[in-house]
Amino acid sequence: MRFLVLGSAAGGGLPQWNCLCENCRLAYANSPRIKRRSQASLAVSANGEDWMILSATPDLRQQIIDNPALHPKSLRHSPVKAVFAPNGDIDNIAGLLVMREMQPFTFFATEAVMACASGGVFGVLNAELVARRTVKLEEPVDTGLGFVITPFVTPGKAPLYTESADEAEIELGAEGEYTVGLEIARDGRHFYYMPSCARMTDALRKRLDGAEIVFFDGTTFEDDEMIRLGLSRKTAWRMGHMAMNGVKGSMRELADVAIKRRVFIHINNSNPALLCDSPERAQVEAAGWEISFDGMAIETAEALA
């Protein structure tokens, strides 16, 4: 299996267009202490030629340009054969609009997410060329690309643009079809893409035990990080994400789970672990985690055989 990180940042990327926090300031200045990042997306392939994109971000066109593996090989061609959206946030579906130039591919999503990406402006996707496959939780999907994907419940929340104006009506940590994790399986080996996860559960720990690779939600380092920096009034929990650190943070919650390779993805511009020389980066790496970056490529052993 081949995995290519097209984007590693949370919504807005790094630097974010309207932000001058310390990380963004350094990124604007091209500091060697930090890498610029686009919004989180992962490309997956079993043969290095045919690819599925997990999360179609608003940055998708540039992400394709930046990664030669996804370049067309003839007059009208694309190695991108499918897209799977794990939730209905703009960060995961807006990139579909970049793919409107009459190119066949298959779009996979749960019923709730499919509804978010259907009708209206998404009508620009030619129904005769773009096959839409609605998937169900816990039902394996043969992608036709040499691997199977199974969507599973990940605690989260509904997309921001669907939230009620009444804060009391917003269900945080909800388990449903709006936010799912994706299990990628091939030859008895399992890999996971989980860019959004509000909390850890016993069911998730059991599922991830024995995983080859887990690409996991790394939005903030601390739950109240954005509040302390004056960037937002929301905690990571309120946004539908776990923090890396803390009693309920992902590093501690997954510390005793047998995962061969742990990679943080969907990292917010506020997160100090983005700085290569920060104590937070050192803490993350000491805990056995990696900080993903745009262009990060991983090939598993069987792909090289």
Side-chain angles (χ1 to χ4, degrees), residues 254-267:
L254 290 171
D256 296 328
V257 180
I259 299 169
K260 289 187 179 179
R261 194 163 180 180
R262 306 158 188 258
V263 183
F264 279 125
I265 198 167
H266 193 275
I267 308 165

Side-chain angles (χ1 to χ4, degrees), residues 64-76:
I64 290 173
I65 291 172
D66 290 343
N67 289 277
L70 302 185
H71 290 181
K73 304 300 189 294
S74 59
L75 188 61
R76 275 290 189 265

